[in-house]
């Protein structure tokens, strides 16, 4: 027969072991991710993000401030008083937020549509014309075919986006004549080169 004190000690030890194992399991769950792959469970360590890590949202925020400073603020001063000024500034801000997405299939048809009233109001500012043509090209059948691998080499591709690429080129030439900052201008030119190259590669 075990003494009462020994039994109590054993029960307390078992309880403490159980608590320790439970805490260990919870700690492991907090540091790992379990997924099912091919019908089998797999455990992966969670990504550890340092408190002051530089994330994508920080990068996007910095570039948003940069584009606002070098392009949108000077543009807003230049067109101040025009009947379409506020609409154009809003269009440019929305365009920059959606520009150069990681998902190339995200076409943003709402921006292609937002450009139409500015065109109808005879807004001929090259920065607006560039983004208007850019979003129209992105929403063309030609662009969607390129994303599916249908190129000009197939000889049955659509050409409805080429006029928009031409319009982008004209806008960039006009921006260059107006001494627009070189850095964003190079990015715009890269968009044009990619649009033409995508038709044949």
């Amino acid at each position: 027969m075990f003494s009462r004190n020994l039994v109590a000690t054993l029960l307390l030890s078992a309880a403490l072991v159980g608590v320790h194992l439970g805490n260990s399991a919870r700690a492991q769950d907090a540091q790992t991710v379990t997924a099912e792959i091919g019908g089998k469970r797999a455990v992966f360590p969670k990504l550890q993000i340092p408190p002051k890590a530089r994330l994508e949202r920080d990068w996007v925020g910095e570039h948003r401030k940069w584009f606002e400073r070098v392009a949108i603020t000077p543009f807003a001063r230049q067109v101040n008083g025009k009947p379409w000024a506020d609409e154009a500034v809003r269009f440019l801000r929305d365009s920059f937020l959606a520009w150069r997405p990681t998902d190339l299939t995200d076409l943003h048809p709402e921006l292609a549509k937002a450009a139409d009233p500015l065109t109808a109001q005879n807004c001929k500012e090259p920065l607006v014309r560039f983004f208007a043509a850019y979003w129209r090209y992105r929403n063309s059948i030609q662009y969607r075919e390129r994303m599916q691998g249908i190129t000009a080499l197939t000889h049955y591709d659509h050409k409805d986006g080429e006029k928009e690429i031409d319009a982008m080129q004209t806008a960039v030439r006009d921006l260059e004549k107006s001494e627009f900052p070189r850095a964003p201008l190079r990015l715009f030119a890269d968009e044009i080169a990619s649009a033409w190259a995508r038709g044949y590669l």
Side-chain angles (χ1 to χ4, degrees), residues 7-164:
V7 171
T9 301
L10 290 173
L11 289 174
L12 178 59
S13 298
L16 290 174
V17 169
V19 170
H20 174 72
L21 291 175
N23 288 338
S24 298
R26 283 192 292 273
Q28 184 178 11
D29 289 343
Q31 297 174 9
T32 59
V33 175
T34 303
E36 186 171 320
I37 302 175
K40 296 182 179 180
R41 289 167 60 84
V43 178
F44 302 94
K46 283 186 178 179
L47 292 176
Q48 300 298 319
I49 302 176
K52 295 184 179 180
R54 180 179 171 82
L55 304 178
E56 182 181 4
R57 63 172 175 263
D58 302 314
W59 182 88
V60 170
E62 286 183 10
H63 282 75
R64 188 182 305 168
K65 292 177 183 177
W66 167 77
F67 194 77
E68 183 81 23
R69 184 178 70 255
V70 303
I72 297 179
T73 298
F75 173 84
R77 285 198 299 264
Q78 177 184 340
V79 302
N80 184 38
K82 302 285 187 180
W84 38 258
D86 291 342
E87 193 173 356
V89 170
R90 184 167 55 251
F91 171 70
L92 291 178
R93 286 193 174 121
D94 291 343
S95 290
F96 183 71
L97 290 178
W99 182 39
R100 298 211 148 193
T102 52
D103 181 5
L104 295 178
T105 63
D106 193 351
L107 306 179
H108 290 285
E110 74 282 0
L111 290 173
K113 186 176 180 180
D116 293 340
L118 291 168
T119 302
Q121 294 177 73
N122 204 30
C123 173
K124 295 182 178 180
E125 293 298 322
L127 188 58
V128 172
R129 282 164 32 216
F130 172 82
F131 277 109
Y134 173 78
W135 294 118
R136 288 166 182 156
Y137 168 69
R138 285 284 299 275
N139 283 271
S140 66
I141 297 175
Q142 180 177 345
Y143 178 85
R144 290 195 289 271
E145 287 184 344
R146 298 297 181 268
M147 293 299 98
Q148 296 170 355
I150 301 174
T151 72
L153 301 179
T154 62
H155 300 292
Y156 60 85
D157 61 315
H158 282 79
K159 305 290 187 184
D160 62 323
E162 289 194 356
K163 65 180 183 297
E164 306 302 345

